[in-house]
């Protein structure tokens, strides 16, 4: 099933970053991180609005759309997703709170549905910026935030966005942790996955 | 030992619905694939680098196929293409030039080019209309550090002068290339710029089938 792209989306970008080798060693299986980004019109650009409900609804729709696109790009079942993250870049005519409205109230639930379960917090980042601004989307294990091998980040950037009245919304999903994790801590196979932490 | 050691493969597909004008009924889809691999000639001057050009042939074919699969469209829908390379700081521009033949040939073959590969490798035209993908694959290359951006040019696959299809796609792999690496890139698109309106040769007016007009 493919979710229809809403009319407020100007551009949709999907990336897959596959790492097969690192420092001369095989990464087996390769790590794969998907990133889906939507460039949208900011309905509140250029003015102060007390109520940000329109962006909250947009966040809900994009959580489902971008989550689904990531899972599709990886060619996995939702249950095979291992970590996730989200971020937004608000153009110059908007404010940081616009990113918060997209990311925090309602984006998480449909994203968790797209990756199945998702007991852990979806780590996030937000900023304001001009065209071509990059944001580092934090990544954490979807069911247990303390899994150390899955602490990571992926850079999100759309070369021609955000224009002043736009917002870039990014969701990242992986089927793996870092390429050669070896700093100990909680392991993915040890988690309970109930409290979102361990 | 094989000359080919691919560390990382980066794929990007984008749908462009509009750019401030009327929303397209069917969005423009553009895709790029980038392989980050070891530069076997990094750190020294090597006179004979042609073995790497030969070794890159299967890489080109594999990347072209992967890109088309990622773009998820029938091969008939590909209307534009381009290629490029970013060479890490311990290499030289000439190492990037190794990608011209394997990258271009791979995409042209995938898109239905029926010409003589051996003649193409030598820069000789095989003459006549040889199926699809008649136009030269436009390219650019540079030496750059990790995260360097490359604007990969795109032009129409059958006639280089089709004005609506002159485009470029920015490609960038965060963290790559390292000094002893190079990135080889292929790009394809399904059509014209989303609001193309500056006249010139139109895709439906291609008549000479010489790769240019």
């Amino acid at each position: 099933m493919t979710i229809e792209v809403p009319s407020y989306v100007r551009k949709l970008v999907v990336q897959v970053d596959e790492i097969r080798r690192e420092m001369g060693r095989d990464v087996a299986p390769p790590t794969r991180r998907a990133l889906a980004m939507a460039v949208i019109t900011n309905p509140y650009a250029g003015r102060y609005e007390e109520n940000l409900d329109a962006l909250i609804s947009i966040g809900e729709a994009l959580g489902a759309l971008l989550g689904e696109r990531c899972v599709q790009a990886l060619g996995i079942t939702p249950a095979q997703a291992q970590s996730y993250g989200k971020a937004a870049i608000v153009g110059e005519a908007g404010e940081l709170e616009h990113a918060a409205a997209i990311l925090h109230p309602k984006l998480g639930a449909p994203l968790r549905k797209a990756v199945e379960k998702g007991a852990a917090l979806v780590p996030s980042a937000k900023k304001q910026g001009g065209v071509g601004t990059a944001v580092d989307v934090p990544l954490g294990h979807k069911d247990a935030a303390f899994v150390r091998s899955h602490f990571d980040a992926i850079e999100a950037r759309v070369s021609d966005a955000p224009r002043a009245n736009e917002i870039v919304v990014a969701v990242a999903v992986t089927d793996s942790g870092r390429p050669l994790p070896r700093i100990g801590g909680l392991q993915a196979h040890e988690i309970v996955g109930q409290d979102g932490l361990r | 030992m094989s000359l080919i050691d691919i560390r990382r493969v980066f794929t990007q597909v984008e749908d462009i619905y509009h750019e401030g004008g009327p929303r397209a009924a069917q969005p423009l889809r553009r895709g790029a694939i980038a392989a980050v691999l070891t530069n076997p000639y990094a750190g020294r001057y090597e006179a004979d680098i042609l073995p790497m050009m030969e070794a890159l042939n299967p890489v080109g074919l594999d990347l072209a196929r992967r890109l088309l699969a990622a773009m998820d469209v029938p091969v008939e829908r590909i209307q534009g293409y381009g290629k490029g390379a970013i060479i890490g700081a311990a290499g030289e521009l000439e190492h990037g030039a190794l990608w011209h033949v394997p990258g271009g040939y791979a995409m042209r073959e995938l898109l239905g080019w029926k010409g003589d590969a051996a003649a193409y490798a030598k820069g000789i035209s095989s003459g006549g209309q040889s199926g699809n993908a008649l136009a030269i694959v436009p390219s650019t290359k540079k030496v750059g550090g990790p995260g360097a951006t490359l604007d990969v040019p795109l032009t129409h696959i059958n006639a280089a002068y089709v004005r609506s299809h002159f485009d470029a796609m920015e490609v960038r792999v965060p963290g790559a290339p390292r000094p002893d690496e190079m990135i080889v890139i292929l790009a394809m698109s399904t059509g014209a710029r989303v609001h193309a309106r500056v006249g010139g040769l139109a895709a439906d007016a291609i008549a000479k089938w010489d790769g240019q007009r």
Side-chain angles (χ1 to χ4, degrees), chain A residues 97-116:
Chain A
E97 199 63 10
H98 296 160
I102 287 181
L103 295 174
H104 302 308
K106 289 195 171 169
L107 186 146
L111 172 59
R112 289 183 168 93
K113 208 172 152 197
V115 300
E116 213 173 284

Side-chain angles (χ1 to χ4, degrees), chain B residues 57-82:
Chain B
N57 276 328
V59 176
L61 288 166
D62 182 50
L63 292 184
R65 286 191 204 108
R66 281 169 180 269
L67 175 55
L68 188 65
M71 290 179 72
D72 197 23
V73 293
V75 68
E76 299 78 26
R77 280 202 55 209
I78 301 297
Q79 294 182 17
Y81 54 23

Side-chain angles (χ1 to χ4, degrees), chain A residues 8 10-11 15-17 20 23 30 52 108 119 121 124 130 174 177 180 186:
Chain A
Y8 48 76
R10 173 168 77 80
K11 192 172 183 179
Q15 299 176 347
V16 175
D17 191 347
R20 302 174 175 183
M23 302 303 274
L52 301 176
L121 178 87
S124 66
T174 81
L180 301 172
L186 181 65

Side-chain angles (χ1 to χ4, degrees), chain A residues 57-141:
Chain A
S57 299
I58 287 172
E60 185 173 23
L62 293 181
L65 174 73
L66 299 178
E68 182 194 69
R69 292 301 177 102
C70 283
V71 169
Q72 279 176 353
L74 291 171
I76 59 173
T77 62
Q80 288 173 303
Q82 293 191 8
S83 65
Y84 54 21
K86 60 187 178 183
I89 309 165
V90 181
E92 294 141 285
E95 57 170 315
L96 206 58
E97 199 63 10
H98 296 160
I102 287 181
L103 295 174
H104 302 308
K106 289 195 171 169
L107 186 146
L111 172 59
R112 289 183 168 93
K113 208 172 152 197
V115 300
E116 213 173 284
K117 208 174 166 187
L121 178 87
V122 185
S124 66
K126 64 178 82 60
K127 72 199 288 188
Q128 268 201 281
V131 164
T133 295
V135 66
D136 292 309
V137 185
L139 286 165
H141 193 284

Side-chain angles (χ1 to χ4, degrees), chain B:
Chain B
M1 196 194 100
S2 169
L3 287 170
I4 303 297
D5 179 3
I6 297 176
R7 181 167 72 84
R8 190 168 164 190
V9 178
F10 183 90
T11 314
Q12 172 165 336
V13 177
E14 55 190 39
D15 285 333
I16 302 171
Y17 292 86
H18 71 85
E19 198 191 344
R23 190 175 180 81
Q26 188 165 45
L28 169 66
R29 178 164 291 181
R30 306 193 303 186
I33 188 162
V36 180
L37 46 92
T38 302
N39 178 354
Y41 309 121
R44 65 182 195 279
Y45 176 81
E46 182 74 44
D48 180 17
I49 58 173
L50 289 177
M52 183 62 173
M53 189 157 86
E54 181 75 24
L56 282 168
N57 276 328
V59 176
L61 288 166
D62 182 50
L63 292 184
R65 286 191 204 108
R66 281 169 180 269
L67 175 55
L68 188 65
M71 290 179 72
D72 197 23
V73 293
V75 68
E76 299 78 26
R77 280 202 55 209
I78 301 297
Q79 294 182 17
Y81 54 23
K83 63 183 192 261
I86 306 173
I87 305 96
E92 55 169 316
L93 198 64
E94 195 65 10
H95 299 153
L98 288 167
W99 185 234
H100 285 295
V101 172
Y105 163 67
M107 266 191 306
R108 295 178 77 179
E109 175 158 295
L110 183 74
L111 300 179
W113 186 65
K114 306 277 192 251
D116 176 355
Y120 180 63
K122 290 178 191 145
I124 304 165
S125 165
S126 47
Q129 181 182 347
S130 46
N132 238 337
L134 304 177
I136 189 169
V137 182
S139 64
T140 185
K141 56 191 171 296
K142 71 182 191 189
V143 172
T149 59
L150 188 71
D151 292 310
V152 180
L154 290 165
T155 55
H156 194 281
I157 63 167
N158 283 328
Y161 280 90
V162 173
R163 198 175 292 169
S164 55
H165 286 57
F166 287 139
D167 200 354
M169 185 171 171
E170 193 175 310
V171 180
R172 170 174 181 275
V173 184
R178 293 173 183 162
D180 64 345
E181 293 180 327
M182 56 193 281
I183 305 179
V184 293
I185 300 163
L186 297 178
M188 298 184 201
S189 76
T190 60
R193 296 181 305 278
V194 71
H195 300 317
R197 55 189 192 284
V198 297
L201 178 64
D204 60 8
I206 297 170
K208 291 194 174 173
W209 301 104
D210 62 353
Q212 300 198 87
R213 293 178 180 88

